[in-house]
Amino acid sequence: MYCQEIYSQFGLAIHQNDHQATRRFVEWAQNETAVVPDFHKRILFSDEAHFWLNGYVNKQNCRIWSEANPQVYVEIPLNPEKLTLWCALWAGGIIGPYFFKNDEGHNVTVNGNRYRAMITNFFISKLNNHDVQELWFQQDGATCHTARATIDLLKDTFGDRLISRFGPVNWPPRS
């Protein structure tokens, strides 16, 4: 069974401060690159993706930017079975994928506790083969990524080399 739902995320307004935040981030990245020319090769870019097991296509990355909500409707399954996976990409390769499952092995979505468990039990152990002092970690502004306990955990590993909302280097909103 399908239902129709309005996704307000498709009508995200561009905020007045977005340009300034993005410009600050770009200037910061340019300064880092001026000091370390291969700086961009040292960033672990990370995120999750959802895959529906019934063939539904995830249109999460489709965005319509507008100052007003364009009233876009998207058909979605009412209660689809899906799996959520995480990975990090960088010039040195891919870390992952990591599939979010509960103790019984069922697919689950990400929350703060599950994300921190993945970082602790999976991600950090994969970094043992790499010089972490040379690497930066980037994540978007999802709530499970930016909880204080999560940011503290990532700072314990990466120090000030964390690119995240509420991190030492702020990842620009809606970027």
Side-chain angles (χ1 to χ4, degrees):
M1 173 176 229
Y2 286 84
C3 68
Q4 295 219 345
E5 181 175 330
I6 297 173
Y7 275 108
S8 61
Q9 69 186 19
F10 286 101
L12 288 174
I14 297 173
H15 296 258
Q16 183 176 358
N17 294 336
D18 288 354
H19 177 75
Q20 290 174 322
T22 301
R23 184 170 207 103
R24 276 192 305 273
F25 179 79
V26 169
E27 289 170 356
W28 169 84
Q30 287 174 330
N31 290 336
E32 292 294 322
T33 303
V35 175
V36 180
D38 68 344
F39 171 71
H40 62 284
K41 294 181 179 180
R42 299 176 182 199
I43 302 173
L44 289 151
F45 294 95
S46 70
D47 207 358
E48 299 90 23
H50 305 291
F51 295 91
W52 276 260
L53 303 179
N54 65 354
Y56 173 74
V57 176
N58 178 3
K59 296 183 176 121
Q60 177 182 349
N61 291 324
C62 177
R63 298 288 189 262
I64 298 170
W65 295 98
S66 173
E67 291 185 12
N69 186 344
Q71 301 297 317
V72 174
Y73 291 85
V74 178
E75 286 188 14
I76 61 169
L78 186 56
N79 294 304
E81 186 177 354
K82 64 183 174 184
L83 61 91
T84 302
L85 70 86
W86 173 94
C87 74
L89 306 170
W90 66 302
I94 299 173
I95 297 177
Y98 177 87
F99 294 91
F100 284 90
K101 295 184 176 285
N102 63 14
D103 293 338
E104 292 80 37
H106 297 114
N107 298 323
V108 293
T109 56
V110 186
N111 63 26
N113 290 334
R114 291 177 184 140
Y115 187 70
R116 284 186 297 280
M118 180 277 299
I119 299 245
T120 302
N121 302 326
F122 175 79
F123 178 53
I124 291 174
S125 68
K126 299 292 184 190
L127 293 174
N128 288 336
N129 300 331
H130 305 287
D131 183 4
V132 178
Q133 300 306 314
E134 295 288 319
L135 297 178
W136 288 73
F137 182 71
Q138 177 275 331
Q139 63 181 3
D140 64 21
T143 305
C144 63
H145 299 172
T146 59
R148 184 175 312 239
T150 305
I151 295 294
D152 290 345
L153 174 61
L154 290 167
K155 283 182 180 177
D156 287 345
T157 302
F158 293 97
D160 287 341
R161 296 174 323 282
L162 173 61
I163 304 168
S164 173
R165 184 170 59 122
F166 305 134
V169 176
N170 201 17
W171 183 247
R174 288 165 290 285
S175 60

